[in-house]
Amino acid sequence: MSSAEEIAVDAARLSAELAELAGITDAEPTPGGTAVTRIVFTERDLQARAWLKTLAREAGLGVREDAIGNTFFRWEGLDPALPAVGTGSHIDAIPYAGMFDGTVGVLGGLEAIRALKRSGACLRRSIELVLFTSEEPTRFGIGCLGSRVLAGALAPDAADALQDGDGRTLQAVRTEAGFAGPLASVAVGGDRYSAWVELHIEQGSLLERAGVPIGIVTDIAAPASYGFTIEGVGGHAGALLMPDRRDALCAAAELILAIEREALRSGSRDTVATVGTCAVHPGAVNSVPSRVVLQVDVRDIDPERRERVMQAVRRDARKLAEGRGVTVREEIMNADMPAHCSPAIVQAIGQACERTGVAAAPMVSRAYHDTLFMARLAPVAMIFIPCRGGVSHRPDEFATAEHIAVGTRVLAETLAGLAA
Ligand code: GLV
Ligand code: MN
Ligand code: MN
């Protein structure tokens, strides 16, 4: 870089933009926080994307979208033919989420580029800010959809065949949202990015507890998700006598507790398991449940330990199915591998922290991020900032303007270092 004088982040503008983005929500206002619901390819998601594209154009960035809706905002370097330095995150939000998950990495990435431009930096490599489609699994049941396809980790046909809760395919939904064209055109090669860095809130409480403003992520835990369908026998809630019942929901309740028990028994705090949804059929107060579908999320930084937990869950499921006269069917929705961050990028972030004059601590990401898949394309690492009480995926998720600004400054310094 022809050295940037002073990289100054406009914290007030960034906070105002985060608040404006949070206003584009389908959630009813809730007390005690800003509730954000922004599901991929809904009107709200498209409105937020349009607003962001306007901001990026105002910042003088080139804008390009791929067939799955990943959006690339590019600041050309002095040598545009070189692989770019990438950064970015997501703006989709699970129902009743907070306003910082993902958005800090997108708007912070934009502000980092604007700050670098204002500083007069001339970088050799281009910097590309990416807004990924559907990091959250809410609509199509699988997380990191855009980055997964970009990295070639999910086949185009399999992606297009994914269905939402209304039985509509990704292909139909994306086409209606204005993203047509073959998904085969989405994947990029390993020569696209020389480095990748994502800024994100920690979504845990380690930084806050340690009083450290920056976390440098060295590993990202491996998520897996499963569907369990429990079939029993339904009937009249009054007439079907208790000894004759094969209640699918009672069996599901046992399975849920078994999943919790086996995760607790793994012996590591890095194992976590969650049953996040439970659909009961027919779902009437006076009808014995005949079918229940559970969605289960299991994570670990050790994929073998994660698999041992699942084997124990399967043994428990067989036992309870036999005891209760129901059937339990398992479907693996996805089982990803952990990502290890690049020592060189971790070091570049460390140096950026030194230049910024802030303390940093190495840490593991227990949440997943698009960086999990970008790690297949480039050397990666992530910058974490604290969030209050470690709270995330809730309306009261909160990060201070100061921490967001510091994270953005560190991101800008890192990008400058990697693109010089
Ligand atoms: C991402 O939102 C995750 O669930 O880790
Ligand atoms: Mn999230
Ligand atoms: Mn996120």
Side-chain angles (χ1 to χ4, degrees), residues 87-92 99-106 108-109 132 135-136 197-204 207 213-217 220 363 365 367-371 381-387 391-393 397 399 403-404 407-408 411:
T87 188
S89 197
H90 62 101
I91 61 163
D92 65 321
M99 58 177 277
F100 300 99
D101 176 3
T103 55
V104 163
V106 174
F132 291 107
E135 190 267 354
E136 302 290 7
V197 188
E198 179 174 356
L199 171 66
H200 206 282
I201 55 168
E202 180 197 340
Q203 303 180 289
L207 289 174
I214 295 290
I216 307 179
V217 174
I220 305 176
M363 61 193 312
S365 171
Y368 60 70
H369 301 283
D370 293 300
T371 297
M382 294 184 68
I383 301 167
F384 273 2
I385 57 164
C387 58
V391 166
S392 186
H393 283 186
E397 178 181 272
H403 283 145
I404 294 169
T408 302
L411 175 63

Side-chain angles (χ1 to χ4, degrees), residues 290-368:
S290 60
R291 186 175 67 246
V292 172
V293 181
L294 305 176
Q295 284 183 318
V296 184
D297 175 311
V298 187
R299 307 184 192 200
D300 208 310
I301 52 171
D302 176 351
E304 283 155 22
R305 188 169 51 212
R306 184 185 71 190
E307 184 49 30
R308 282 198 297 278
V309 167
M310 285 310 295
Q311 280 167 4
V313 166
R314 287 174 196 126
R315 278 196 298 277
D316 296 339
R318 280 196 294 274
K319 224 162 108 190
L320 75 88
E322 212 180 290
R324 286 188 168 271
V326 301
T327 61
V328 180
R329 195 176 70 245
E330 176 195 336
E331 182 197 357
I332 301 184
M333 291 150 87
N334 73 289
D336 298 318
M337 293 304 283
H340 302 295
C341 295
S342 149
I345 311 294
V346 166
Q347 191 185 21
I349 297 172
Q351 287 164 349
C353 289
E354 277 167 30
R355 286 199 295 278
T356 306
V358 287
M363 61 193 312
V364 166
S365 171
R366 293 188 168 77
Y368 60 70

Side-chain angles (χ1 to χ4, degrees), residues 205-225:
S205 54
L206 299 180
L207 289 174
E208 185 182 64
R209 275 192 237 159
V212 175
I214 295 290
I216 307 179
V217 174
T218 55
D219 292 273
I220 305 176
S225 51

